[in-house]
Amino acid sequence: VASSSFSLEDAARALDLAERLGKPAVAGSDAHAPSVVGWAFTEFPALPRDEAQLAAWIRTGAGSWRRPGAFRT
């Protein structure tokens, strides 16, 4: 629901769509420039043991999305 390349309106639409579809909210940098790496990410309770655990956490909504960087205008 958040990306370093999203505007605030893009993020709101993505969050609304995820909620309507019953999907978990996640974020990722999708950085196209070094200056925006880490502007959006999903935080999990711990490091996953493996890819299967990470996928399970994403499916169950165990992560919390964060967007500390500025939204594109």
Side-chain angles (χ1 to χ4, degrees):
V1 299
S3 163
S4 59
S5 62
F6 276 16
S7 68
L8 183 56
E9 294 78 21
D10 292 336
R13 283 195 313 270
L15 181 58
D16 178 63
L17 180 61
E19 288 173 348
R20 285 190 288 125
L21 296 175
K23 301 294 182 183
V26 295
S29 281
D30 187 30
H32 295 264
S35 60
V36 295
V37 170
W39 274 23
F41 55 90
T42 303
E43 216 170 46
F44 293 97
L47 288 176
R49 286 185 311 274
D50 52 29
E51 294 88 355
Q53 185 176 46
L54 176 60
W57 284 351
I58 291 171
R59 280 192 306 275
T60 61
S64 300
W65 69 276
R66 304 281 186 251
R67 181 63 167 74
F71 279 98
R72 179 178 56 80
T73 54

Tab-separated table of all heavy atoms in Angstrom:
chain	number	residue	atom	x	y	z
A	1	VAL	N	0.813	-1.197	0.000
A	1	VAL	CA	0.000	0.000	0.000
A	1	VAL	C	0.850	1.251	0.000
A	1	VAL	O	0.323	2.331	-0.082
A	1	VAL	CB	-0.985	0.023	1.183
A	1	VAL	CG1	-1.941	-1.137	1.128
A	1	VAL	CG2	-0.274	0.079	2.497
A	2	ALA	N	2.152	1.075	0.102
A	2	ALA	CA	3.028	2.246	0.074
A	2	ALA	C	4.302	1.892	-0.673
A	2	ALA	O	4.780	0.776	-0.622
A	2	ALA	CB	3.358	2.723	1.480
A	3	SER	N	4.805	2.865	-1.359
A	3	SER	CA	6.029	2.734	-2.132
A	3	SER	C	6.707	4.090	-2.118
A	3	SER	O	6.048	5.115	-1.937
A	3	SER	CB	5.681	2.331	-3.563
A	3	SER	OG	6.758	2.559	-4.429
A	4	SER	N	8.013	4.106	-2.321
A	4	SER	CA	8.711	5.392	-2.365
A	4	SER	C	8.286	6.217	-3.570
A	4	SER	O	8.493	7.415	-3.605
A	4	SER	CB	10.225	5.179	-2.368
A	4	SER	OG	10.604	4.401	-3.475
A	5	SER	N	7.638	5.575	-4.545
A	5	SER	CA	7.218	6.314	-5.738
A	5	SER	C	5.734	6.678	-5.707
A	5	SER	O	5.229	7.273	-6.651
A	5	SER	CB	7.533	5.506	-7.001
A	5	SER	OG	6.823	4.291	-6.993
A	6	PHE	N	5.022	6.342	-4.631
A	6	PHE	CA	3.589	6.650	-4.523
A	6	PHE	C	3.354	8.065	-4.028
A	6	PHE	O	4.086	8.571	-3.194
A	6	PHE	CB	2.915	5.731	-3.502
A	6	PHE	CG	2.486	4.391	-4.032
A	6	PHE	CD1	2.959	3.886	-5.212
A	6	PHE	CD2	1.601	3.624	-3.309
A	6	PHE	CE1	2.564	2.642	-5.677
A	6	PHE	CE2	1.201	2.371	-3.764
A	6	PHE	CZ	1.686	1.897	-4.952
A	7	SER	N	2.274	8.669	-4.500
A	7	SER	CA	1.784	9.907	-3.897
A	7	SER	C	0.898	9.506	-2.716
A	7	SER	O	0.536	8.334	-2.561
A	7	SER	CB	0.967	10.716	-4.912
A	7	SER	OG	-0.244	10.024	-5.206
A	8	LEU	N	0.521	10.452	-1.901
A	8	LEU	CA	-0.381	10.182	-0.786
A	8	LEU	C	-1.704	9.622	-1.303
A	8	LEU	O	-2.267	8.691	-0.727
A	8	LEU	CB	-0.616	11.469	0.016
A	8	LEU	CG	-1.477	11.357	1.267
A	8	LEU	CD1	-0.916	10.323	2.232
A	8	LEU	CD2	-1.596	12.709	1.954
A	9	GLU	N	-2.191	10.153	-2.427
A	9	GLU	CA	-3.440	9.667	-3.013
A	9	GLU	C	-3.294	8.232	-3.508
A	9	GLU	O	-4.195	7.413	-3.343
A	9	GLU	CB	-3.890	10.581	-4.160
A	9	GLU	CG	-4.284	11.979	-3.723
A	9	GLU	CD	-3.084	12.898	-3.453
A	9	GLU	OE1	-1.952	12.631	-3.965
A	9	GLU	OE2	-3.253	13.868	-2.710
A	10	ASP	N	-2.136	7.905	-4.121
A	10	ASP	CA	-1.881	6.531	-4.573
A	10	ASP	C	-1.936	5.574	-3.391
A	10	ASP	O	-2.551	4.500	-3.471
A	10	ASP	CB	-0.493	6.407	-5.214
A	10	ASP	CG	-0.345	7.148	-6.530
A	10	ASP	OD1	-1.361	7.395	-7.206
A	10	ASP	OD2	0.812	7.480	-6.875
A	11	ALA	N	-1.293	5.939	-2.294
A	11	ALA	CA	-1.250	5.083	-1.106
A	11	ALA	C	-2.652	4.893	-0.523
A	11	ALA	O	-3.012	3.788	-0.119
A	11	ALA	CB	-0.305	5.671	-0.066
A	12	ALA	N	-3.439	5.954	-0.484
A	12	ALA	CA	-4.804	5.857	0.055
A	12	ALA	C	-5.648	4.920	-0.810
A	12	ALA	O	-6.402	4.093	-0.283
A	12	ALA	CB	-5.441	7.233	0.134
A	13	ARG	N	-5.512	5.028	-2.133
A	13	ARG	CA	-6.263	4.137	-3.034
A	13	ARG	C	-5.814	2.692	-2.873
A	13	ARG	O	-6.631	1.774	-2.858
A	13	ARG	CB	-6.114	4.595	-4.483
A	13	ARG	CG	-6.964	5.804	-4.826
A	13	ARG	CD	-7.102	6.037	-6.325
A	13	ARG	NE	-5.867	5.965	-7.071
A	13	ARG	CZ	-5.052	6.996	-7.317
A	13	ARG	NH1	-5.353	8.198	-6.871
A	13	ARG	NH2	-3.949	6.838	-8.006
A	14	ALA	N	-4.503	2.477	-2.739
A	14	ALA	CA	-3.994	1.118	-2.578
A	14	ALA	C	-4.466	0.508	-1.258
A	14	ALA	O	-4.855	-0.656	-1.213
A	14	ALA	CB	-2.464	1.122	-2.640
A	15	LEU	N	-4.455	1.286	-0.181
A	15	LEU	CA	-4.925	0.787	1.107
A	15	LEU	C	-6.413	0.469	1.047
A	15	LEU	O	-6.859	-0.578	1.525
A	15	LEU	CB	-4.635	1.796	2.214
A	15	LEU	CG	-5.051	1.385	3.625
A	15	LEU	CD1	-4.380	0.078	4.033
A	15	LEU	CD2	-4.714	2.487	4.616
A	16	ASP	N	-7.192	1.328	0.427
A	16	ASP	CA	-8.626	1.088	0.282
A	16	ASP	C	-8.884	-0.202	-0.506
A	16	ASP	O	-9.710	-1.029	-0.114
A	16	ASP	CB	-9.296	2.283	-0.410
A	16	ASP	CG	-10.775	2.063	-0.619
A	16	ASP	OD1	-11.501	1.922	0.393
A	16	ASP	OD2	-11.213	2.029	-1.791
A	17	LEU	N	-8.161	-0.390	-1.598
A	17	LEU	CA	-8.334	-1.587	-2.410
A	17	LEU	C	-7.949	-2.843	-1.620
A	17	LEU	O	-8.673	-3.836	-1.636
A	17	LEU	CB	-7.499	-1.497	-3.693
A	17	LEU	CG	-7.587	-2.695	-4.630
A	17	LEU	CD1	-9.012	-2.909	-5.118
A	17	LEU	CD2	-6.629	-2.502	-5.798
A	18	ALA	N	-6.824	-2.801	-0.913
A	18	ALA	CA	-6.404	-3.957	-0.111
A	18	ALA	C	-7.462	-4.295	0.932
A	18	ALA	O	-7.803	-5.470	1.123
A	18	ALA	CB	-5.064	-3.670	0.560
A	19	GLU	N	-8.011	-3.283	1.590
A	19	GLU	CA	-9.038	-3.530	2.595
A	19	GLU	C	-10.301	-4.117	1.973
A	19	GLU	O	-10.882	-5.062	2.503
A	19	GLU	CB	-9.366	-2.235	3.348
A	19	GLU	CG	-8.252	-1.806	4.286
A	19	GLU	CD	-8.487	-0.446	4.907
A	19	GLU	OE1	-9.394	0.313	4.465
A	19	GLU	OE2	-7.732	-0.106	5.843
A	20	ARG	N	-10.729	-3.573	0.823
A	20	ARG	CA	-11.933	-4.090	0.164
A	20	ARG	C	-11.763	-5.528	-0.295
A	20	ARG	O	-12.705	-6.313	-0.279
A	20	ARG	CB	-12.331	-3.200	-1.007
A	20	ARG	CG	-12.982	-1.902	-0.566
A	20	ARG	CD	-13.591	-1.112	-1.710
A	20	ARG	NE	-12.548	-0.510	-2.537
A	20	ARG	CZ	-12.417	-0.668	-3.850
A	20	ARG	NH1	-13.271	-1.404	-4.522
A	20	ARG	NH2	-11.450	-0.092	-4.517
A	21	LEU	N	-10.537	-5.900	-0.692
A	21	LEU	CA	-10.265	-7.254	-1.172
A	21	LEU	C	-9.846	-8.206	-0.053
A	21	LEU	O	-9.599	-9.385	-0.295
A	21	LEU	CB	-9.181	-7.225	-2.252
A	21	LEU	CG	-9.536	-6.493	-3.541
A	21	LEU	CD1	-8.330	-6.430	-4.468
A	21	LEU	CD2	-10.725	-7.154	-4.228
A	22	GLY	N	-9.740	-7.685	1.167
A	22	GLY	CA	-9.322	-8.516	2.292
A	22	GLY	C	-7.872	-8.952	2.209
A	22	GLY	O	-7.506	-10.038	2.658
A	23	LYS	N	-7.045	-8.097	1.626
A	23	LYS	CA	-5.626	-8.418	1.463
A	23	LYS	C	-4.804	-7.662	2.506
A	23	LYS	O	-5.173	-6.572	2.934
A	23	LYS	CB	-5.134	-8.017	0.066
A	23	LYS	CG	-5.863	-8.696	-1.061
A	23	LYS	CD	-5.608	-10.182	-1.060
A	23	LYS	CE	-6.308	-10.875	-2.216
A	23	LYS	NZ	-6.121	-12.310	-2.169
A	24	PRO	N	-3.651	-8.220	2.891
A	24	PRO	CA	-2.803	-7.526	3.863
A	24	PRO	C	-2.141	-6.297	3.243
A	24	PRO	O	-1.905	-6.254	2.039
A	24	PRO	CB	-1.757	-8.576	4.238
A	24	PRO	CG	-1.716	-9.504	3.069
A	24	PRO	CD	-3.107	-9.512	2.495
A	25	ALA	N	-1.879	-5.313	4.075
A	25	ALA	CA	-1.203	-4.095	3.628
A	25	ALA	C	0.304	-4.279	3.782
A	25	ALA	O	0.783	-4.643	4.850
A	25	ALA	CB	-1.682	-2.910	4.451
A	26	VAL	N	1.036	-4.053	2.710
A	26	VAL	CA	2.491	-4.140	2.732
A	26	VAL	C	3.073	-2.927	2.019
A	26	VAL	O	2.375	-2.225	1.289
A	26	VAL	CB	3.019	-5.438	2.070
A	26	VAL	CG1	2.584	-6.664	2.850
A	26	VAL	CG2	2.574	-5.543	0.631
A	27	ALA	N	4.346	-2.692	2.232
A	27	ALA	CA	5.028	-1.573	1.581
A	27	ALA	C	6.407	-2.027	1.142
A	27	ALA	O	6.980	-2.958	1.707
A	27	ALA	CB	5.154	-0.394	2.544
A	28	GLY	N	6.934	-1.376	0.130
A	28	GLY	CA	8.281	-1.657	-0.353
A	28	GLY	C	8.873	-0.418	-0.979
A	28	GLY	O	8.152	0.429	-1.481
A	29	SER	N	10.190	-0.296	-0.912
A	29	SER	CA	10.846	0.911	-1.412
A	29	SER	C	10.583	1.168	-2.888
A	29	SER	O	10.369	2.297	-3.282
A	29	SER	CB	12.353	0.851	-1.175
A	29	SER	OG	12.654	1.164	0.143
A	30	ASP	N	10.630	0.126	-3.722
A	30	ASP	CA	10.502	0.316	-5.162
A	30	ASP	C	11.347	1.506	-5.599
A	30	ASP	O	10.929	2.342	-6.394
A	30	ASP	CB	9.017	0.515	-5.541
A	30	ASP	CG	8.804	0.545	-7.053
A	30	ASP	OD1	9.576	-0.111	-7.767
A	30	ASP	OD2	7.874	1.230	-7.511
A	31	ALA	N	12.516	1.611	-5.010
A	31	ALA	CA	13.368	2.783	-5.204
A	31	ALA	C	13.986	2.816	-6.595
A	31	ALA	O	14.595	1.847	-7.031
A	31	ALA	CB	14.459	2.818	-4.151
A	32	HIS	N	13.815	3.934	-7.248
A	32	HIS	CA	14.423	4.150	-8.555
A	32	HIS	C	15.580	5.128	-8.460
A	32	HIS	O	16.157	5.506	-9.471
A	32	HIS	CB	13.381	4.653	-9.551
A	32	HIS	CG	12.319	3.633	-9.832
A	32	HIS	ND1	12.371	2.781	-10.909
A	32	HIS	CD2	11.205	3.307	-9.155
A	32	HIS	CE1	11.326	1.984	-10.893
A	32	HIS	NE2	10.598	2.276	-9.832
A	33	ALA	N	15.896	5.553	-7.233
A	33	ALA	CA	17.017	6.454	-6.983
A	33	ALA	C	17.575	6.146	-5.597
A	33	ALA	O	16.814	5.833	-4.683
A	33	ALA	CB	16.560	7.908	-7.047
A	34	PRO	N	18.877	6.223	-5.421
A	34	PRO	CA	19.466	5.921	-4.116
A	34	PRO	C	18.896	6.770	-2.975
A	34	PRO	O	18.798	6.305	-1.846
A	34	PRO	CB	20.954	6.219	-4.314
A	34	PRO	CG	21.188	6.080	-5.777
A	34	PRO	CD	19.902	6.524	-6.426
A	35	SER	N	18.469	7.965	-3.279
A	35	SER	CA	17.984	8.866	-2.228
A	35	SER	C	16.657	8.427	-1.612
A	35	SER	O	16.274	8.931	-0.555
A	35	SER	CB	17.834	10.286	-2.777
A	35	SER	OG	16.902	10.297	-3.842
A	36	VAL	N	15.948	7.491	-2.239
A	36	VAL	CA	14.656	7.051	-1.698
A	36	VAL	C	14.668	5.599	-1.204
A	36	VAL	O	13.631	5.075	-0.811
A	36	VAL	CB	13.501	7.267	-2.706
A	36	VAL	CG1	13.295	8.738	-2.981
A	36	VAL	CG2	13.742	6.499	-3.988
A	37	VAL	N	15.828	4.962	-1.177
A	37	VAL	CA	15.921	3.606	-0.635
A	37	VAL	C	15.510	3.635	0.834
A	37	VAL	O	15.962	4.481	1.603
A	37	VAL	CB	17.348	3.040	-0.786
A	37	VAL	CG1	17.516	1.744	-0.019
A	37	VAL	CG2	17.679	2.833	-2.254
A	38	GLY	N	14.627	2.747	1.212
A	38	GLY	CA	14.179	2.661	2.591
A	38	GLY	C	13.035	3.587	2.957
A	38	GLY	O	12.623	3.642	4.110
A	39	TRP	N	12.469	4.314	1.994
A	39	TRP	CA	11.357	5.232	2.285
A	39	TRP	C	10.061	4.500	2.582
A	39	TRP	O	9.156	5.068	3.162
A	39	TRP	CB	11.145	6.181	1.124
A	39	TRP	CG	12.008	7.406	1.191
A	39	TRP	CD1	13.186	7.556	1.868
A	39	TRP	CD2	11.757	8.655	0.554
A	39	TRP	NE1	13.683	8.800	1.680
A	39	TRP	CE2	12.827	9.507	0.873
A	39	TRP	CE3	10.753	9.113	-0.270
A	39	TRP	CZ2	12.896	10.812	0.410
A	39	TRP	CZ3	10.831	10.408	-0.736
A	39	TRP	CH2	11.890	11.252	-0.397
A	40	ALA	N	9.952	3.255	2.164
A	40	ALA	CA	8.748	2.460	2.442
A	40	ALA	C	9.198	1.026	2.684
A	40	ALA	O	10.057	0.503	1.982
A	40	ALA	CB	7.773	2.533	1.277
A	41	PHE	N	8.629	0.394	3.706
A	41	PHE	CA	9.018	-0.971	4.026
A	41	PHE	C	7.940	-1.612	4.893
A	41	PHE	O	7.058	-0.938	5.420
A	41	PHE	CB	10.371	-1.023	4.742
A	41	PHE	CG	10.445	-0.177	5.983
A	41	PHE	CD1	10.110	-0.696	7.224
A	41	PHE	CD2	10.833	1.153	5.899
A	41	PHE	CE1	10.173	0.081	8.364
A	41	PHE	CE2	10.903	1.945	7.030
A	41	PHE	CZ	10.567	1.407	8.276
A	42	THR	N	8.013	-2.935	5.016
A	42	THR	CA	7.118	-3.674	5.883
A	42	THR	C	7.948	-4.237	7.028
A	42	THR	O	8.984	-4.860	6.803
A	42	THR	CB	6.429	-4.819	5.123
A	42	THR	OG1	5.726	-4.254	4.002
A	42	THR	CG2	5.443	-5.557	6.005
A	43	GLU	N	7.497	-3.966	8.240
A	43	GLU	CA	8.185	-4.420	9.440
A	43	GLU	C	7.514	-5.691	9.947
A	43	GLU	O	6.279	-5.745	10.024
A	43	GLU	CB	8.058	-3.322	10.495
A	43	GLU	CG	9.230	-3.120	11.377
A	43	GLU	CD	9.061	-1.856	12.199
A	43	GLU	OE1	7.988	-1.616	12.771
A	43	GLU	OE2	10.040	-1.112	12.248
A	44	PHE	N	8.299	-6.695	10.301
A	44	PHE	CA	7.783	-7.960	10.815
A	44	PHE	C	8.246	-8.161	12.250
A	44	PHE	O	9.185	-7.512	12.697
A	44	PHE	CB	8.225	-9.119	9.921
A	44	PHE	CG	7.595	-9.065	8.560
A	44	PHE	CD1	8.273	-8.520	7.486
A	44	PHE	CD2	6.307	-9.524	8.365
A	44	PHE	CE1	7.678	-8.441	6.231
A	44	PHE	CE2	5.703	-9.454	7.111
A	44	PHE	CZ	6.390	-8.913	6.057
A	45	PRO	N	7.603	-9.086	12.988
A	45	PRO	CA	7.927	-9.265	14.397
A	45	PRO	C	9.363	-9.738	14.640
A	45	PRO	O	9.911	-9.538	15.722
A	45	PRO	CB	6.924	-10.310	14.890
A	45	PRO	CG	6.228	-10.841	13.705
A	45	PRO	CD	6.502	-9.942	12.553
A	46	ALA	N	9.962	-10.370	13.674
A	46	ALA	CA	11.334	-10.884	13.781
A	46	ALA	C	11.813	-11.204	12.373
A	46	ALA	O	11.053	-11.072	11.414
A	46	ALA	CB	11.354	-12.149	14.640
A	47	LEU	N	13.064	-11.627	12.250
A	47	LEU	CA	13.535	-12.090	10.949
A	47	LEU	C	12.893	-13.447	10.681
A	47	LEU	O	12.883	-14.310	11.561
A	47	LEU	CB	15.054	-12.229	10.944
A	47	LEU	CG	15.842	-10.929	10.936
A	47	LEU	CD1	17.344	-11.227	11.039
A	47	LEU	CD2	15.552	-10.132	9.675
A	48	PRO	N	12.357	-13.640	9.499
A	48	PRO	CA	11.739	-14.948	9.194
A	48	PRO	C	12.814	-16.030	9.082
A	48	PRO	O	13.946	-15.757	8.700
A	48	PRO	CB	11.047	-14.709	7.860
A	48	PRO	CG	11.774	-13.571	7.248
A	48	PRO	CD	12.258	-12.720	8.381
A	49	ARG	N	12.427	-17.252	9.413
A	49	ARG	CA	13.340	-18.392	9.282
A	49	ARG	C	13.707	-18.647	7.823
A	49	ARG	O	14.824	-19.015	7.508
A	49	ARG	CB	12.679	-19.666	9.830
A	49	ARG	CG	12.573	-19.759	11.317
A	49	ARG	CD	12.016	-21.115	11.744
A	49	ARG	NE	10.806	-21.520	11.028
A	49	ARG	CZ	9.572	-21.175	11.391
A	49	ARG	NH1	9.381	-20.422	12.444
A	49	ARG	NH2	8.529	-21.588	10.692
A	50	ASP	N	12.704	-18.465	6.945
A	50	ASP	CA	12.895	-18.777	5.535
A	50	ASP	C	11.806	-18.075	4.721
A	50	ASP	O	10.969	-17.367	5.271
A	50	ASP	CB	12.863	-20.290	5.306
A	50	ASP	CG	11.627	-20.960	5.900
A	50	ASP	OD1	10.564	-20.310	5.998
A	50	ASP	OD2	11.724	-22.142	6.276
A	51	GLU	N	11.833	-18.295	3.408
A	51	GLU	CA	10.864	-17.649	2.521
A	51	GLU	C	9.433	-18.077	2.831
A	51	GLU	O	8.503	-17.279	2.712
A	51	GLU	CB	11.181	-17.962	1.049
A	51	GLU	CG	12.477	-17.370	0.558
A	51	GLU	CD	13.670	-18.288	0.797
A	51	GLU	OE1	13.519	-19.370	1.435
A	51	GLU	OE2	14.774	-17.928	0.365
A	52	ALA	N	9.253	-19.327	3.237
A	52	ALA	CA	7.902	-19.815	3.540
A	52	ALA	C	7.311	-19.069	4.736
A	52	ALA	O	6.132	-18.702	4.720
A	52	ALA	CB	7.932	-21.322	3.816
A	53	GLN	N	8.120	-18.837	5.750
A	53	GLN	CA	7.609	-18.097	6.903
A	53	GLN	C	7.310	-16.645	6.524
A	53	GLN	O	6.297	-16.090	6.934
A	53	GLN	CB	8.590	-18.138	8.072
A	53	GLN	CG	8.014	-17.463	9.316
A	53	GLN	CD	8.928	-17.568	10.514
A	53	GLN	OE1	10.128	-17.325	10.414
A	53	GLN	NE2	8.343	-17.923	11.654
A	54	LEU	N	8.169	-16.038	5.729
A	54	LEU	CA	7.917	-14.667	5.276
A	54	LEU	C	6.611	-14.599	4.495
A	54	LEU	O	5.781	-13.720	4.736
A	54	LEU	CB	9.077	-14.169	4.411
A	54	LEU	CG	8.905	-12.785	3.804
A	54	LEU	CD1	8.729	-11.718	4.880
A	54	LEU	CD2	10.076	-12.457	2.891
A	55	ALA	N	6.410	-15.531	3.578
A	55	ALA	CA	5.168	-15.554	2.793
A	55	ALA	C	3.956	-15.735	3.697
A	55	ALA	O	2.924	-15.084	3.513
A	55	ALA	CB	5.227	-16.659	1.745
A	56	ALA	N	4.068	-16.604	4.698
A	56	ALA	CA	2.956	-16.819	5.631
A	56	ALA	C	2.664	-15.550	6.418
A	56	ALA	O	1.501	-15.190	6.620
A	56	ALA	CB	3.280	-17.977	6.576
A	57	TRP	N	3.695	-14.869	6.865
A	57	TRP	CA	3.492	-13.612	7.607
A	57	TRP	C	2.814	-12.564	6.726
A	57	TRP	O	1.962	-11.828	7.183
A	57	TRP	CB	4.810	-13.086	8.137
A	57	TRP	CG	5.333	-13.802	9.342
A	57	TRP	CD1	4.674	-14.746	10.096
A	57	TRP	CD2	6.605	-13.635	9.939
A	57	TRP	NE1	5.479	-15.165	11.116
A	57	TRP	CE2	6.670	-14.505	11.049
A	57	TRP	CE3	7.705	-12.852	9.649
A	57	TRP	CZ2	7.787	-14.591	11.870
A	57	TRP	CZ3	8.821	-12.941	10.464
A	57	TRP	CH2	8.858	-13.796	11.563
A	58	ILE	N	3.214	-12.487	5.459
A	58	ILE	CA	2.580	-11.527	4.551
A	58	ILE	C	1.109	-11.894	4.362
A	58	ILE	O	0.232	-11.032	4.475
A	58	ILE	CB	3.325	-11.480	3.196
A	58	ILE	CG1	4.711	-10.843	3.384
A	58	ILE	CG2	2.503	-10.696	2.168
A	58	ILE	CD1	5.611	-10.949	2.169
A	59	ARG	N	0.823	-13.164	4.098
A	59	ARG	CA	-0.560	-13.591	3.890
A	59	ARG	C	-1.455	-13.333	5.090
A	59	ARG	O	-2.628	-13.001	4.946
A	59	ARG	CB	-0.614	-15.082	3.535
A	59	ARG	CG	-0.287	-15.390	2.105
A	59	ARG	CD	-0.631	-16.828	1.740
A	59	ARG	NE	-0.012	-17.799	2.627
A	59	ARG	CZ	1.218	-18.285	2.488
A	59	ARG	NH1	1.964	-17.899	1.473
A	59	ARG	NH2	1.687	-19.176	3.333
A	60	THR	N	-0.907	-13.494	6.295
A	60	THR	CA	-1.719	-13.331	7.507
A	60	THR	C	-1.708	-11.910	8.043
A	60	THR	O	-2.352	-11.619	9.049
A	60	THR	CB	-1.245	-14.290	8.620
A	60	THR	OG1	0.117	-13.986	8.955
A	60	THR	CG2	-1.380	-15.731	8.191
A	61	GLY	N	-0.985	-11.013	7.385
A	61	GLY	CA	-0.964	-9.619	7.828
A	61	GLY	C	-0.139	-9.392	9.081
A	61	GLY	O	-0.394	-8.446	9.830
A	62	ALA	N	0.875	-10.236	9.318
A	62	ALA	CA	1.704	-10.115	10.518
A	62	ALA	C	2.628	-8.898	10.467
A	62	ALA	O	3.146	-8.476	11.489
A	62	ALA	CB	2.531	-11.379	10.730
A	63	GLY	N	2.827	-8.329	9.295
A	63	GLY	CA	3.708	-7.171	9.163
A	63	GLY	C	2.954	-5.859	9.296
A	63	GLY	O	1.735	-5.802	9.173
A	64	SER	N	3.703	-4.818	9.572
A	64	SER	CA	3.150	-3.457	9.641
A	64	SER	C	3.882	-2.603	8.615
A	64	SER	O	5.107	-2.542	8.625
A	64	SER	CB	3.375	-2.856	11.033
A	64	SER	OG	2.755	-3.635	12.016
A	65	TRP	N	3.124	-1.969	7.743
A	65	TRP	CA	3.787	-1.155	6.721
A	65	TRP	C	4.183	0.184	7.309
A	65	TRP	O	3.530	0.717	8.192
A	65	TRP	CB	2.941	-1.010	5.471
A	65	TRP	CG	1.699	-0.188	5.600
A	65	TRP	CD1	0.478	-0.601	6.049
A	65	TRP	CD2	1.554	1.188	5.276
A	65	TRP	NE1	-0.416	0.419	6.010
A	65	TRP	CE2	0.219	1.546	5.542
A	65	TRP	CE3	2.412	2.164	4.788
A	65	TRP	CZ2	-0.274	2.827	5.330
A	65	TRP	CZ3	1.919	3.446	4.577
A	65	TRP	CH2	0.604	3.756	4.843
A	66	ARG	N	5.299	0.692	6.830
A	66	ARG	CA	5.845	1.978	7.278
A	66	ARG	C	6.205	2.811	6.054
A	66	ARG	O	6.650	2.301	5.048
A	66	ARG	CB	7.100	1.777	8.130
A	66	ARG	CG	6.901	0.879	9.335
A	66	ARG	CD	6.215	1.646	10.454
A	66	ARG	NE	6.149	0.825	11.644
A	66	ARG	CZ	5.025	0.300	12.109
A	66	ARG	NH1	3.891	0.472	11.467
A	66	ARG	NH2	5.023	-0.409	13.205
A	67	ARG	N	6.027	4.102	6.190
A	67	ARG	CA	6.354	5.026	5.090
A	67	ARG	C	6.931	6.303	5.685
A	67	ARG	O	6.277	7.343	5.742
A	67	ARG	CB	5.078	5.309	4.286
A	67	ARG	CG	5.241	6.225	3.095
A	67	ARG	CD	6.167	5.601	2.054
A	67	ARG	NE	6.128	6.269	0.788
A	67	ARG	CZ	6.680	7.445	0.549
A	67	ARG	NH1	7.300	8.095	1.480
A	67	ARG	NH2	6.615	7.974	-0.654
A	68	PRO	N	8.181	6.257	6.226
A	68	PRO	CA	8.764	7.441	6.841
A	68	PRO	C	9.204	8.520	5.845
A	68	PRO	O	9.333	9.681	6.218
A	68	PRO	CB	9.965	6.903	7.615
A	68	PRO	CG	10.326	5.644	6.905
A	68	PRO	CD	9.045	5.100	6.338
A	69	GLY	N	9.390	8.166	4.583
A	69	GLY	CA	9.812	9.140	3.579
A	69	GLY	C	8.662	10.030	3.128
A	69	GLY	O	7.484	9.745	3.387
A	70	ALA	N	8.992	11.106	2.481
A	70	ALA	CA	7.995	12.054	1.993
A	70	ALA	C	7.200	11.455	0.839
A	70	ALA	O	7.755	10.745	0.007
A	70	ALA	CB	8.678	13.330	1.533
A	71	PHE	N	5.905	11.715	0.814
A	71	PHE	CA	5.099	11.272	-0.314
A	71	PHE	C	5.332	12.185	-1.508
A	71	PHE	O	5.517	13.388	-1.361
A	71	PHE	CB	3.604	11.288	0.047
A	71	PHE	CG	3.170	10.086	0.817
A	71	PHE	CD1	3.057	10.130	2.197
A	71	PHE	CD2	2.878	8.891	0.164
A	71	PHE	CE1	2.652	9.014	2.904
A	71	PHE	CE2	2.482	7.767	0.863
A	71	PHE	CZ	2.369	7.833	2.239
A	72	ARG	N	5.322	11.578	-2.681
A	72	ARG	CA	5.450	12.337	-3.934
A	72	ARG	C	4.208	13.200	-4.080
A	72	ARG	O	3.114	12.814	-3.709
A	72	ARG	CB	5.562	11.343	-5.099
A	72	ARG	CG	5.672	11.981	-6.445
A	72	ARG	CD	5.838	10.924	-7.535
A	72	ARG	NE	4.801	9.914	-7.568
A	72	ARG	CZ	3.594	10.075	-8.115
A	72	ARG	NH1	3.257	11.226	-8.639
A	72	ARG	NH2	2.711	9.100	-8.109
A	73	THR	N	4.385	14.372	-4.616
A	73	THR	CA	3.214	15.259	-4.829
A	73	THR	C	2.852	15.328	-6.294
A	73	THR	O	3.586	14.919	-7.147
A	73	THR	CB	3.509	16.683	-4.313
A	73	THR	OG1	4.705	17.157	-4.911
A	73	THR	CG2	3.630	16.663	-2.813
